[in-house]
Amino acid sequence: MSSDALSGVVPEQSTAALEVVEYEKLLGSSAAEQSKVLRACQNQGFFYLHLPRHEYRDLWAHARAMFAVAKEIFEQPPEKKQKFHMALSGSGETCGYKPLGYYSGIVKGNRDGFEQFKIPRVGILQLDPEFTYNRPEVVDRNWELLESLVNTIHSIGITILEALSTALGLPTDQRFEKFHGIDTLTNSMLGCNKHPKHRQTDPNIGHLSHTDTGSITILFTLQWGLQIFQPGTGKWEFIQPLPEHAVINVGDSLRHMSRNKLHSGLHRVVPAPEPGSIEQEDRYSFMYFLRPDRDTVFCDQDGNEYNAAQWHDLKTQNYRKDHTMISPSLQTGRKEYLGLWDAGN
């Protein structure tokens, strides 16, 4: 897959119209741009962040390199990848390899259709001397790249949090960035996903509808497949991948910290081509999950109190359950709604 051009089949189904936020203006504390971020996070919970290549050459060069690292990780033999299974990490599944079918899928009774590898911020930046985890050699070989990406994208996330705090007029002790330290213990991580090419009728398909666990997710992708649920219409729409843009979405932790002023965007990943066809290529993406410090406390929509680490573990356990056992309100933020996929919808 080229990392400089869009690829894949353009779906005929409707495409979401998202706000486009200029990162340079956010850095300059533009009140208009801060208002735009707030509006997007209150309504859809998603927006595009424009990061012009001429201003962010290193970031986009590192993004290209990250796609290559992801491909190398996933091309290893299954028995080798299983040695790095996140269930063996002993860290609440915050790092390591997730195989195909480990979570429930988007078709009732089926399992998911993607592989994932998680690279924890606390490990890459060596924030906890007691934290260790098994990882493939490619991670160590690209340590400087991963460290640079984690620091750069984390900084982007903090800028977004600062903009939201300012736009909401939060007092100093309640500003969101206060709960996302530079050198604190957190479950923030860099993740990479692979959706192998397959027929839409294959049993392992897509990524089940969900809201993200953390505060802000910063996604880099050049291929179709991501859909968001539009709260105003109740319809699912594709997000078009755009060059020089990251896709940003609000997660549960930020929704809870804002006392429901911000919207945790419901989304899923589905096959993009027409029903019965074969996808032309494997799909890759990578993302940074910016999460609060582990001891940050908030209440969910039902008034139950959790810290950020507990909320992460609760959501992760829910992902693994089959459809008859999953808690819809925990998975999607909506009672009795799982957002299962129908190729015609």
Side-chain angles (χ1 to χ4, degrees):
M1 182 195 71
S2 167
S3 57
D4 290 311
L6 301 181
S7 56
V9 177
V10 178
E12 293 184 358
Q13 291 148 304
S14 59
T15 301
L18 301 184
E19 295 271 13
V20 178
V21 174
E22 297 292 337
Y23 186 58
E24 283 297 297
K25 292 182 180 179
L26 274 192
L27 283 176
S29 301
S30 163
E33 218 65 12
Q34 290 171 347
S35 295
K36 190 186 293 185
V37 170
L38 178 59
R39 182 168 62 247
C41 293
Q42 288 178 323
N43 297 327
Q44 293 172 302
F46 276 82
F47 63 90
Y48 291 115
L49 186 67
H50 185 210
L51 297 153
R53 191 177 300 274
H54 68 276
E55 295 283 350
Y56 297 96
R57 291 185 186 277
D58 287 348
L59 172 60
W60 290 111
H62 290 165
R64 287 195 301 273
M66 185 64 210
F67 280 117
V69 169
K71 187 173 182 180
E72 186 173 348
I73 289 173
F74 293 125
E75 284 183 343
Q76 296 181 74
E79 62 274 13
K80 188 171 183 179
K81 288 184 287 189
Q82 288 292 343
K83 295 179 181 178
F84 310 113
H85 197 299
M86 60 186 186
L88 303 175
S89 69
S91 60
E93 301 191 356
T94 60
C95 58
Y97 173 67
K98 184 207 81 67
L100 196 77
Y102 192 62
Y103 297 151
S104 280
I106 56 172
V107 176
K108 188 174 183 180
N110 291 4
R111 305 299 287 179
D112 74 79
F114 74 102
E115 297 176 85
Q116 185 177 62
F117 194 82
K118 303 178 179 181
I119 302 169
R121 173 182 174 82
V122 68
I124 285 294
L125 301 186
Q126 300 176 318
L127 299 176
D128 182 356
E130 297 182 359
F131 183 86
T132 60
Y133 71 104
N134 291 329
R135 54 190 181 266
E137 181 270 338
V138 61
V139 171
D140 290 275
R141 185 163 21 96
N142 289 278
W143 198 275
E144 289 185 8
L145 165 69
L146 298 172
E147 185 176 15
S148 177
L149 273 174
V150 164
N151 281 327
T152 299
I153 305 176
H154 184 90
S155 178
I156 291 171
I158 294 299
T159 299
I160 294 170
L161 293 179
E162 290 171 343
L164 288 168
S165 296
T166 299
L168 286 169
L170 298 181
T172 301
D173 63 343
Q174 295 178 25
R175 290 181 64 88
F176 299 133
E177 64 271 22
K178 176 180 180 291
F179 302 97
H180 300 76
I182 295 296
D183 55 3
T184 51
L185 297 185
T186 172
N187 285 337
S188 294
M189 69 169 194
L190 191 67
C192 47
N193 290 356
K194 175 186 178 182
H195 287 256
K197 55 187 175 184
H198 54 243
R199 292 184 181 273
Q200 292 183 340
T201 53
D202 284 351
N204 295 92
I205 300 177
H207 193 345
L208 181 61
S209 307
H210 64 286
T211 53
D212 284 345
T213 301
S215 298
I216 293 288
T217 301
I218 303 168
L219 170 71
F220 295 83
T221 184
L222 296 163
Q223 295 163 290
W224 291 85
L226 176 62
Q227 286 186 325
I228 66 170
F229 182 82
Q230 294 287 14
T233 64
K235 295 184 180 297
W236 287 93
E237 295 181 335
F238 279 99
I239 288 187
Q240 179 180 359
L242 297 178
E244 301 187 4
H245 290 72
V247 177
I248 313 297
N249 69 273
V250 173
D252 292 343
S253 297
L254 192 58
R255 172 193 173 187
H256 299 328
M257 292 169 66
S258 73
R259 296 174 182 159
N260 297 317
K261 292 184 177 70
L262 303 179
H263 178 70
S264 185
L266 180 59
H267 56 288
R268 65 188 184 184
V269 179
V270 304
E274 289 302 299
S277 68
I278 299 176
E279 289 191 280
Q280 301 301 307
E281 59 189 359
D282 298 331
R283 288 182 289 160
Y284 293 90
S285 60
F286 77 90
M287 67 294 298
Y288 184 73
F289 296 102
L290 175 60
R291 292 167 175 160
D293 301 341
R294 291 175 186 167
D295 58 1
T296 300
V297 176
F298 47 70
C299 291
D300 68 5
Q301 62 266 29
D302 298 318
N304 301 308
E305 186 175 282
Y306 300 94
N307 64 37
Q310 292 169 331
W311 184 255
H312 170 273
D313 293 347
L314 194 65
K315 289 273 286 192
T316 301
Q317 292 164 13
N318 199 57
Y319 293 154
R320 295 200 304 266
K321 297 177 181 178
D322 63 37
H323 294 115
T324 62
M325 299 298 292
I326 280 179
S327 163
S329 61
L330 186 59
Q331 182 79 15
T332 68
R334 293 156 177 79
K335 294 182 179 180
E336 301 181 5
Y337 183 73
L338 276 181
L340 296 175
W341 180 68
D342 178 343
N345 181 18

